Every structure is written in structure tokens, then in C-alpha cells.
């Protein structure tokens, strides 16, 4: 079966000498290789920007003349040849991991996830879970771990956030142009797009068309139900991430787990292992059992086989993060499916029944924990919390014995290190540092970077961030539908010389975005200080159904636009991967203040740390493992407490007033705040190797991927 067929020959105008650009545009490898991005940017800076850094779209739109003159430009061709050499070598060289391990490329790991965050031009993510999945695939590609991603092609993405005149989040969508993105139809011999059939009870079966995203050496296969073969009601199943009612959600999960398994079959991929990223795809475990029963196993032995080949990763201690469906709804869709498993109704329902809440419904996390041989949480603390949370599934075991391990999350370095910072590391760390970046010894060389150089690079990134925010606000102003206080609240008055805190995450109660406003008088003193002021940049969306989250956004936006806070607080619209990049590169301090123990891991602080932005955080999630006493700040107690806001805020203010602000503004005679740069360096060297996706994937390999095969 062929895939990656060019879309209707839209690249016909590419001169032969530049044919490779098409392959490059269709493989996300370009997104984490600065030289490849540069190759597109060199063609036409403005077009690159206007395409939203989407090479597929840009190449389609560029006039043939531009391409012909690039092909005739020796400078361009020099860069082109070098990038193509690296790209082809990366794609074609033997997979480094398989070369020396017993994993076989022929039986890859199937990695199921409801979201994948890869690049802002592919809106298949809502937040942290998606980026974790995207970084997982990218790092598996770099390490050569055979894995195949399974998910959804959501043509309407998640949500586009607009803050309206009244300061509330409006939920809009933005339709993806499937023909102009780094995504391709999977085509059969006849030239038709490959489809799979998902059986639905009491209905006509639903079909899903298969798309493919090339993530370096890895394929991500995505399902799309919005095709004419389906009834209108079912076309919308894959329309949007986490949208619709409970029934729609169940249909999505059936398509993800059961349809996803059939995608693998349709592609002729025999997987050696199933890895479920969160419980949404837990039906994949049932489908695997069903396949084995069909081949002659009884349920018990099929279940045992599936145990041996499955890993489940759970991501949140928040109750709403675990789907529970009414038993009647499950029965409606599984009535004719469960006999194929050789199960009666009660036996089937018991698989998803929570022992402490037997009547609550069918719990997807319970199902996943029961059927997977291995399970893990995403930080050390989250491991403890998770074992306690699900202990009743193992009544004969103590909490410590509950078989849920942990692998602390990490981020894909090449995707999150800003290119100018990466150049600095290239210059001082020596040849081949990137390939050894999970080795802490490499990072000791951070000391060799002159303070001035690191500081100036950081300052330049802060300028870029503020420039980007002002550009966004200017566009908003020019559109004519914003009033002055609105654009004032969006960051038009930000000042690059001022100590800048960044807070960007999903807006939901437990993350407490408004904590720093607890004592407005005290905060104002800091914001308005005549020679040592601070400013704060906020960004984040709230789930459309989260009314409290909407209120938090409103509250902060009202602060941001109020003249009383003097333009020193900004709320930037529509937090996505691009804004996230600018923010984690450009702010001075990354603020994080969830209510413990709700933050399973968190990853944005890791992204900031790689770029020398220290973390100012509650001791929760990854920070309990990351904080050394020298690489940032920790405030508040890790213990669970009621009514803690006041106390946490006091500690936050104290740190800012007595430690962070004075250190930041204490520049030496040469204009460089050496002590501050010292903290930046500690941040980089203590966090980059440990919280890299490379360390994470190697841990998945040794703990789970190798042993299970
Ligand atoms: C990294 C990232 C997240 C997740 O960060 P958290 O620290 O887990 O909140 C969410 N959204 C975007 C756009 C990101 O880049």
C-alpha cells in the first residue's frame, strides 16, 4: 500500500532541481530542524510568515518564478543540498535503536492517543497530553524506536479563542485545509483513499478514512469520519477534539480504539505492543482480545495475551479527566460486540466498573488498568497519587504494591530549544552534543558560555516575544472590532526592560491563574515600582464547558485591561504551539501555581528551562524532581491543604520582593546581571538532560518496550 502520494499534483510547478522540497514539506522533520525551516523561509520571508510556517501551503502558493529563481541561486542551492543530504540520511539510515536491540521494526509499538501536538499547522491537540504524545513520536523517530501513532484528523481542531469586548472567551473554530498541510491521504492500488469500517450496534457501520502524517521516520495514522459514506450524524465524530455530548465522546472513543486497531490491520501492520496514552483509547484492548477470540482463543487466554503486550499511561489525578459512561449507553453500542468476546452483559460491564463506585458507570481508566499488563503515571509524585487513587482495584495489595510505575515526562529538545540558543550550545558544548543530550555531563559546559552572550541572546528572545504580542494586538486593532482597552489588555504596553513573568496553561480552577492577584495592593506595588517593576504575560484557553475557567479568564482580562494595573499585565489570545514557543523562549520567569497534587507532571516549565527561563513553582508534578535549590524557586507546601491560597500567595510575593526582583535588577558594571545569569545556567544544566524526551523514551524502552516483547 502506498502512502504519501502528492495531492493532485499541486507541486507541479516545482523545478526539478527543487523536487526534494516536496518530500521535505510532507515530513514534519522540517519542523524541528532549524536549517530546514530556514530553507522555506529563504524562498520568501513574507510568504513563510503568512502561511503560518506551513511549508505545504506556502509551496502551493508561491509563484513559479520565485521557485525558478531559487533553483538558479547558488547560495540557495548550497543550503538546499545540505539540508536534503541530512534529511535523506536521517530517513534512510538504519534505525539506530533496532540495530542493536531485539525490537523488530516489523512489529512496532502502536501508540494510541486522542490528541497529538506536533505543530500549530496541524490542530490535533488541546494541550499538554497532545504535546506529550507529539514529543513522544518525535523522540522515538530520533532514537529509531519502531512505533506507529494512531489518532484522529480533527478538521476543526480544538478551539480558537477570541476575547470579546466584554472580556469573555468566545469559542470559535478554524477549519483545517486538509489539502494544504503536512498530511496525506493513504491511497490504495486503485488510487482511492483507504477506509476502515467500525461496527456500530443498531446502526449502519461507520467508516473512517485514513490519513498519514510523517514524523521523521515514524508514521502517525489519523482517522477521519467526515466522509460522504457516513450518515450525517456520524460524519461529525472526528470533527472536533473533546466536543459534543457524552454519546459523541463515546463514539469518538469507539472509533479511536476499535477503528484504530482496524487501521493497523488495513495497513498490514502487526504490532508487538499497544501503548495507550490515556484511557480514551482503552477499547483498543478489547478489540485486540476480540481478534484473538476470533482466532480461537477463549476470553481468558486472549485477555492474558493482551496483558502481556500492553502499556497504559495515565495522566491526571483530576476526576473529570477520567471518562465514565452510563452502562445503558455502553450497552447500546456494545450489545452485539460483547458476544464476540464471549462475554455476558454483566461480565462485560464489570470490566469498567469501579469497585468503590459500582453504579457510577463504565470507567475507561478502570478498563485500561484492568486489561493492561503495565501501567504508568507521569512523575514520581503522580505515581504515588495514582497508586493511592486506584488501590481498590487491587484489594489484596498495599498501596505501595499497586502495580503502577512512573516515567516522568520530558520534552523533545529540538522542538523546544530556540534556534539561537541552540547555536550557543553548538558553539560551546562541542561536537555531537545533541546526540548525547540526556547525559548531564554535557551540560556542565554551560559554564563556558560567557554570561554576556547568554544574557544578550535571552534579551533578544524577549524582544521577539514582545514584538510578536504587539503584532498580534496591532492586527486585532486594525481589524476594527476591538476597543482600546481590549488591545491595551493584550500586551501593547509590554516593556522588554522589565522583569517578565509568564503564565500560560489551560485555564481551570486547580491551576489558580489568579493566585498572584490575591493581594491586589501588594501586587500593584510590584507592577508600579518606579525602577524595579515587573510585568506578567498570561495566555490559555478554557474548555468550552468549563464555566469557572471562563470566569477566570474574564477576571484576568479585566485586570489586564484596567488602567490601574498600568499595562503591566497582558492576556494574549489563543494560546497555541506558536505562542507557547515565543513565551517559553522569551519570558524571564515561568510561573506555575496549581493546587497540589493536581498537576500530574506539567511540561511547559521544562520547555522554558531548556532556554534558560527559571521556574517559579509550587512543589508539584515534575518540579518535585527538578528543583535543586539553585535553579529557580519553590513556594507553598507540597502537602494537601484546604484554603491555601492566601498562604501560597504570601510566599509567592515574599520570593518576588526579597529574592527574584532584587537579583534580576542587580546588573554589574558591564550591564549584565551575573547572579541572575548564574540561575539561568543552573536551570539549563539541571533540567535539560533530565526532562528531555530522550531520557523519557529511554526509560519507556527499558521499563516497558523491551521487556514486553
Ligand atoms: C507544553 C504545552 C502545554 C502543556 O503545558 P503544561 O505545563 O502541562 O500546562 C499546553 N499547551 C501548549 C500550547 C504547550 O506548548
Amino acid at each position: 500500500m502506498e502512502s504519501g502520494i502528492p495531492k493532485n499534483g499541486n507541486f507541479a510547478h516545482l523545478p526539478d532541481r527543487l523536487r526534494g522540497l516536496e518530500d521535505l514539506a510532507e515530513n514534519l522533520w522540517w519542523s524541528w530542524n532549524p536549517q530546514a525551516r530556514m530553507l522555506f523561509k529563504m524562498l520568501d520571508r513574507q510568504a513563510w510568515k503568512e502561511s503560518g510556517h506551513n511549508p505545504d501551503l506556502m509551496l502551493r502558493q508561491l509563484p513559479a518564478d520565485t521557485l525558478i529563481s531559487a533553483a538558479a541561486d547558488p547560495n540557495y542551492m548550497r543550503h538546499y543540498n545540505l539540508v536534503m543530504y541530512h534529511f535523506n540520511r536521517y530517513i534512510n539510515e538504519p534505525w539506530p535503536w533496532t540495530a542493536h536491540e531485539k525490537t523488530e521494526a516489523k512489529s512496532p509499538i502502536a501508540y494510541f492517543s486522542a490528541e497529538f501536538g506536533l505543530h500549530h499547522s496541524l490542530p490535533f491537540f488541546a494541550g499538554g497530553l497532545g504535546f506529550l504524545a507529539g514529543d513522544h513520536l518525535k523522540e522515538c523517530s530520533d532514537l529509531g524506536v519502531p512505533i506507529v501513532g494512531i489518532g484522529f484528523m480533527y478538521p476543526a481542531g480544538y478551539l480558537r479563542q477570541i476575547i470579546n469586548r466584554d472580556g469573555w472567551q468566545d469559542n470559535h473554530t478554524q477549519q483545517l485545509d486538509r489539502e494544504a498541510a503536512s498530511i496525506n491521504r493513504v491511497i490504495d492500488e486503485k488510487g482511492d483513499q483507504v477506509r476502515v469500517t467500525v461496527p456500530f450496534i443498531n446502526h449502519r457501520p461507520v467508516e473512517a478514512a485514513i490519513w498519514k502524517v510523517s514524523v521523521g521516520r515514524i508514521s502517525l495514522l489519523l482517522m477521519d469520519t467526515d466522509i460522504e459514506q457516513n450518515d450525517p450524524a456520524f460524519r461529525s465524530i472526528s470533527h472536533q477534539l473533546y466536543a459534543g455530548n457524552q454519546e459523541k465522546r463515546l463514539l469518538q472513543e469507539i472509533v479511536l480504539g476499535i477503528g484504530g486497531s482496524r487501521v493497523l490491520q488495513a495497513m498490514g501492520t502487526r504490532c508487538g505492543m499497544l501503548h495507550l496514552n490515556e484511557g480514551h483509547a482503552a477499547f483498543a484492548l478489547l478489540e485486540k482480545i476480540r481478534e484473538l477470540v476470533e482466532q480461537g482463543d477463549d476470553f481468558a487466554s486472549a485477555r492474558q495475551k493482551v496483558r502481556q503486550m500492553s502499556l497504559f499511561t495515565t495522566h491526571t489525578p483530576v476526576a473529570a479527566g477520567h471518562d465514565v459512561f452510563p452502562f445503558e449507553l455502553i450497552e447500546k453500542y456494545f450489545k452485539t460486540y460483547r458476544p464476540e468476546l464471549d462475554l455476558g452483559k454483566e461480565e462485560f460491564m464489570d470490566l469498567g466498573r469501579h469497585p468503590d463506585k459500582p453504579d457510577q458507570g463504565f470507567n475507561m481508566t478502570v478498563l485500561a488498568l484492568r486489561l493492561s499488563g503495565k501501567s504508568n503515571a507521569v512523575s514520581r509524585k503522580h505515581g504515588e497519587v495514582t497508586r493511592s487513587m486506584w488501590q481498590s482495584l487491587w484489594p489484596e495489595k498495599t498501596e505501595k504494591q499497586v502495580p503502577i510505575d512512573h516515567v516522568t515526562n520530558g520534552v523533545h529538545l529540538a522542538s523546544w530549544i530556540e534556534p539561537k540558543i541552540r547555536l550557543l550550545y553548538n558553539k560551546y558544548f562541542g561536537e555531537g552534543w545533541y546526540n548525547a543530550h540526556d547525559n548531564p555531563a554535557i551540560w556542565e559546559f554551560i559554564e563556558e558560555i560567557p554570561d554576556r552572550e547568554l544574557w544578550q541572546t535571552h534579551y533578544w528572545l524577549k524582544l521577539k516575544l514582545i514584538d510578536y504580542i504587539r503584532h498580534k494586538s496591532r492586527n486585532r486593532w486594525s481589524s476594527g472590532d476591538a476597543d482600546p482597552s481590549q488591545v491595551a489588555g493584550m500586551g501593547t504596553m509590554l516593556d522588554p526592560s522589565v522583569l517578565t513573568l509568564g503564565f500560560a496553561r489551560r485555564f481551570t480552577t486547580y491551576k489558580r491563574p489568579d493566585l498572584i492577584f490575591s493581594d491586589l495592593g501588594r501586587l500593584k506595588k510590584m507592577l508600579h515600582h518606579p525602577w524595579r517593576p515587573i510585568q506578567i504575560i498570561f495566555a490559555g484557553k478554557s474548555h468550552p464547558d468549563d464555566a469557572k475557567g471562563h470566569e477566570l479568564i474574564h477576571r484576568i482580562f479585566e485586570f489586564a485591561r484596567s488602567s490601574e494595573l498600568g499595562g503591566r499585565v497582558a492576556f494574549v489570545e489563543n494560546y497555541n504551539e506558536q505562542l507557547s514557543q515565543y513565551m517559553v523562549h522569551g519570558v524571564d520567569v515561568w510561573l506555575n501555581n496549581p493546587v497540589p497534587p493536581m498537576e500530574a507532571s506539567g511540561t511547559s516549565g521544562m520547555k522554558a528551562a531548556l532556554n534558560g527561563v527559571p521556574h517559579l513553582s509550587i512543589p508539584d508534578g515534575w518540579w518535585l524532581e527538578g528543583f535543586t535549590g539553585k535553579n529557580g524557586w519553590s513556594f507553598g507546601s507540597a502537602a494537601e491543604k484546604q484554603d491555601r491560597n492566601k498562604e501560597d500567595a504570601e510566599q509567592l510575593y515574599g520570593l518576588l520582593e526579597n529574592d527574584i526582583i532584587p537579583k534580576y535588577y542587580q546588573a554589574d558594571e558591564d550591564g549584565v546581571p551575573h547572579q541572575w545569569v548564574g540561575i539561568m545556567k543552573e536551570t539549563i544544566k539541571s533540567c535539560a538532560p533530565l526532562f528531555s524526551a530522550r531520557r523519557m523514551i529511554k526509560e519507556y524502552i527499558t521499563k516497558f518496550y523491551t521487556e514486553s516483547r
Side-chain angles (χ1 to χ4, degrees):
M1 204 161 293
E2 260 307 296
S3 66
I5 299 278
K7 291 165 259 188
N8 316 323
N10 275 342
F11 293 110
H13 63 313
L14 264 184
D16 280 345
R17 292 185 76 186
L18 295 179
R19 269 283 139 221
L21 285 180
E22 179 179 335
D23 297 335
L24 200 61
E26 298 304 318
N27 189 316
L28 286 177
W29 181 86
W30 63 261
S31 71
W32 70 88
N33 283 275
Q35 287 172 317
R37 288 205 297 263
M38 191 49 81
L39 208 53
F40 294 117
K41 190 170 170 181
M42 279 168 83
L43 285 171
D44 183 334
R45 270 185 101 90
Q46 191 58 23
W48 176 239
K49 193 169 172 181
E50 281 166 13
S51 73
H53 302 167
N54 174 348
D56 187 299
L57 178 63
M58 186 183 90
L59 287 183
R60 272 160 218 282
Q61 290 175 341
L62 276 185
D65 287 355
T66 308
L67 295 164
I68 291 166
S69 56
D73 173 0
N75 177 44
Y76 188 79
M77 289 311 294
R78 204 162 40 237
H79 286 273
Y80 170 83
N81 288 331
L82 185 69
V83 170
M84 291 315 297
Y85 164 75
H86 284 301
F87 176 60
N88 288 319
R89 209 179 66 167
Y90 181 90
I91 298 297
N92 297 322
E93 76 187 0
W95 290 42
W97 172 256
T98 41
H100 57 84
E101 288 298 332
K102 51 187 172 178
T103 49
E104 258 185 87
K106 285 205 183 66
S107 64
I109 300 149
Y111 184 86
F112 287 81
S113 181
E115 41 175 311
F116 285 92
L118 293 156
H119 184 259
H120 54 266
S121 61
L122 297 175
F124 311 144
F125 57 85
L129 182 72
F131 286 97
L132 200 268
D135 282 11
H136 196 101
L137 294 190
K138 289 174 183 173
E139 193 60 51
C140 281
S141 171
D142 287 350
L143 281 173
V145 179
I147 196 166
V148 51
I150 303 285
F152 273 120
M153 212 280 299
Y154 300 104
Y158 177 49
L159 73 91
R160 190 161 65 91
Q161 177 193 57
I162 289 184
I163 304 295
N164 66 25
R165 272 174 198 262
D166 301 324
W168 292 92
Q169 165 177 309
D170 280 345
N171 303 311
H172 295 253
T173 55
Q174 196 160 19
Q175 207 66 23
L176 170 73
D177 179 355
R178 295 168 222 208
E179 304 303 329
S182 299
I183 170 169
N184 285 281
R185 293 188 158 83
V186 176
I187 307 288
D188 65 16
E189 302 81 19
K190 289 190 289 214
D192 297 326
Q193 186 166 16
V194 179
R195 301 193 303 268
V196 293
T197 302
V198 192
F200 276 83
I201 289 56
N202 307 333
H203 294 288
R204 266 204 314 140
V206 167
E207 296 196 19
I210 312 177
W211 292 77
K212 179 174 135 173
V213 181
S214 297
V215 186
R217 293 184 257 241
I218 303 285
S219 296
L220 167 60
L221 301 171
L222 301 173
M223 288 174 283
D224 181 8
T225 60
D226 189 12
I227 50 176
E228 59 191 23
Q229 288 80 2
N230 288 330
D231 291 342
F234 291 153
R235 285 183 72 147
S236 63
I237 291 177
S238 68
H239 200 234
Q240 223 183 346
L241 197 51
Y242 306 139
N245 60 16
Q246 205 170 32
E247 187 156 357
K248 173 71 96 34
R249 186 80 172 247
L250 176 61
L251 292 178
Q252 281 191 337
E253 299 190 7
I254 291 172
V255 174
L256 181 60
I258 297 177
S261 305
R262 295 183 179 201
V263 168
L264 293 167
Q265 281 192 343
M267 301 294 288
T269 310
R270 284 185 60 85
C271 287
M273 183 173 184
L274 306 177
H275 183 174
L276 310 182
N277 190 42
E278 205 40 297
H280 310 121
F283 294 135
L285 299 165
L286 288 181
E287 177 65 5
K288 191 74 207 171
I289 293 177
R290 195 200 57 79
E291 280 172 28
L292 291 167
V293 169
E294 193 177 61
Q295 290 159 20
D297 275 307
D298 60 17
F299 178 79
S301 68
R303 179 177 181 170
Q304 191 52 32
K305 283 182 189 163
V306 169
R307 273 184 71 76
Q308 271 159 12
M309 61 179 294
S310 50
L311 169 65
F312 166 56
T313 303
T314 175
H315 286 269
T316 180
V318 180
H322 302 270
D323 288 312
V324 182
F325 297 108
F327 290 120
E328 314 80 73
L329 200 57
I330 294 283
E331 179 63 1
K332 175 171 170 192
Y333 290 99
F334 283 88
K335 193 157 70 195
T336 59
Y337 184 88
R338 58 179 166 68
E340 293 189 43
L341 297 171
D342 245 349
L343 289 185
K345 183 175 172 190
E346 283 315 298
E347 286 169 297
F348 184 83
M349 296 305 168
D350 282 348
L351 292 172
R353 196 187 297 279
H354 194 305
D356 298 340
K357 302 165 203 152
D359 303 324
Q360 194 191 32
F362 194 93
N363 186 312
M364 295 299 283
T365 305
V366 169
L367 178 71
L369 287 169
R370 285 228 172 89
L371 294 184
S372 307
K374 305 250 165 70
S375 303
N376 75 289
V378 293
S379 72
R380 190 178 64 209
K381 174 70 184 275
H382 182 229
E384 290 165 20
V385 172
T386 306
R387 284 188 288 278
S388 135
M389 199 169 162
W390 301 105
Q391 195 197 345
S392 58
L393 288 179
W394 289 271
E396 73 293 352
K397 291 196 193 316
T398 65
E399 198 174 300
K400 272 213 169 74
Q401 292 169 332
V402 168
I404 300 176
D405 203 337
H406 79 269
V407 174
T408 303
N409 284 344
V411 294
H412 182 241
L413 251 68
S415 297
W416 297 103
I417 293 185
E418 199 285 330
K420 277 221 161 35
I421 294 272
R422 184 160 173 179
L423 285 178
L424 264 189
Y425 299 166
N426 289 350
K427 185 166 159 194
Y428 292 98
F429 291 4
E431 188 85 16
W433 75 270
Y434 189 85
N435 282 331
H437 72 246
D438 55 331
N439 179 354
I442 299 287
W443 297 89
E444 292 296 328
F445 283 86
I446 197 81
E447 304 302 342
E448 302 205 354
I449 301 180
D451 286 358
R452 164 174 292 278
E453 222 172 317
L454 182 56
W455 179 246
Q456 282 177 345
T457 308
H458 171 70
Y459 198 81
W460 184 80
L461 293 175
K462 188 148 89 165
L463 286 174
K464 292 272 289 184
L465 163 68
I466 292 178
D467 194 52
Y468 175 74
I469 292 175
R470 287 185 184 152
H471 179 74
K472 271 182 79 133
S473 323
R474 189 177 307 113
N475 278 348
R476 196 62 203 290
W477 178 242
S478 317
S479 75
D481 75 349
D483 70 36
S485 82
Q486 241 177 314
V487 288
M490 289 175 183
T492 38
M493 283 172 271
L494 291 171
D495 175 350
S497 69
V498 169
L499 167 60
T500 306
L501 310 189
F503 183 101
R505 50 200 71 244
R506 193 156 51 86
F507 271 56
T508 190
T509 328
Y510 83 85
K511 302 218 185 209
R512 298 188 292 179
D514 56 348
L515 185 77
I516 200 166
F517 297 96
S518 301
D519 180 344
L520 208 52
R522 201 159 161 192
L523 176 65
K524 275 192 201 160
K525 281 209 183 94
M526 288 188 267
L527 297 173
H528 293 314
H529 195 282
W531 59 86
R532 298 190 323 195
I534 66 169
Q535 60 190 3
I536 318 173
I537 304 175
F538 288 91
K541 296 172 183 173
S542 176
H543 187 279
D545 300 335
D546 181 357
K548 292 225 169 80
H550 280 66
E551 274 166 31
L552 283 167
I553 288 175
H554 179 67
R555 176 148 201 252
I556 288 176
F557 195 74
E558 291 304 308
F559 283 131
R561 80 198 316 192
S562 136
S563 57
E564 280 182 51
L565 300 192
R568 295 253 191 252
V569 173
F571 184 96
V572 187
E573 279 176 331
N574 205 34
Y575 181 46
N576 65 8
E577 184 260 355
Q578 193 173 25
L579 176 57
S580 166
Q581 294 277 5
Y582 279 104
M583 286 186 71
V584 298
H585 301 155
V587 300
D588 296 308
V589 172
W590 197 253
L591 177 64
N592 179 45
N593 43 234
V595 177
M598 304 302 245
E599 188 84 325
S601 167
T603 49
S604 54
M606 302 172 183
K607 299 169 189 167
L610 307 176
N611 293 287
V613 174
H615 205 207
L616 166 59
S617 171
I618 289 279
D620 200 21
W622 76 279
W623 195 228
L624 285 162
E625 293 158 64
F627 182 52
T628 62
K630 294 186 289 189
N631 61 352
W633 302 269
S634 179
F635 64 97
S637 152
E640 288 175 51
K641 280 183 169 181
Q642 295 296 312
D643 302 327
R644 56 184 295 153
N645 290 359
K646 188 156 183 287
E647 195 181 318
D648 288 351
E650 287 276 328
Q651 289 195 31
L652 170 60
Y653 294 135
L655 275 177
L656 283 166
E657 290 161 351
N658 304 321
D659 197 40
I660 298 172
I661 297 174
K663 278 189 182 135
Y664 181 85
Y665 283 106
Q666 193 178 52
D668 294 343
E669 277 159 21
D670 59 357
V672 177
H674 290 281
Q675 200 183 359
W676 185 267
V677 177
I679 299 172
M680 292 172 64
K681 287 182 170 177
E682 282 293 335
T683 298
I684 296 167
K685 80 173 173 196
S686 61
C687 298
L690 284 184
F691 301 101
S692 63
R694 178 142 311 175
R695 188 274 308 145
M696 170 179 81
I697 296 298
K698 285 187 175 173
E699 232 177 295
Y700 273 105
I701 290 169
T702 47
K703 281 189 169 164
F704 307 114
Y705 287 173
T706 317
E707 213 189 305
S708 317
R709 292 150 150 274

